[in-house]
Amino acid sequence: RVGVVGAYLVGDAAAEEVICIAADAPGWRAPGVRRFARRLAARGALVVTPDLWRGDTWYGDPSPAMRSAAAGFHEWAAGHPVEKVAGDMAAVMTALQERGAKRVSVVGMGLGAGAVVHL
């Protein structure tokens, strides 16, 4: 956990430079997001991808069968207000600074970019 949410961490845990990825609706477990995180980490930073959707990703983490067939994307997004997501991201950044990060950069992808804009 980082801050108030779970997270995917990759790279040098002692790095003073940290990159946070605010993932789109598929979330922190999406293979493409993790691949992108590993590529950034290869440059020497610690890369943190927090679970900003708190386990309720659009593609149904962990099981798509859990999502109602009637629920649409807009209903799902309404359950994740950008202010709440931005608050979680801010808590993650604070936790990283408390752990010794000298510089925290943030990359927003899709809906995660909305959280970045509200920081």
Side-chain angles (χ1 to χ4, degrees), residues 56-117:
D56 180 32
T57 63
W58 171 242
Y59 291 113
D61 182 14
S63 171
M66 302 292 289
R67 188 166 312 286
S68 165
F73 178 77
H74 295 292
E75 290 173 277
W76 173 85
H80 300 283
V82 71
E83 298 81 10
K84 180 180 177 186
V85 176
D88 286 351
M89 184 58 114
V92 167
M93 293 173 64
T94 298
L96 292 168
Q97 290 168 337
E98 289 172 354
R99 290 183 179 190
K102 301 288 184 213
R103 182 169 61 188
V104 179
S105 303
V106 183
V107 176
M109 301 163 62
L111 289 180
V116 172
V117 169

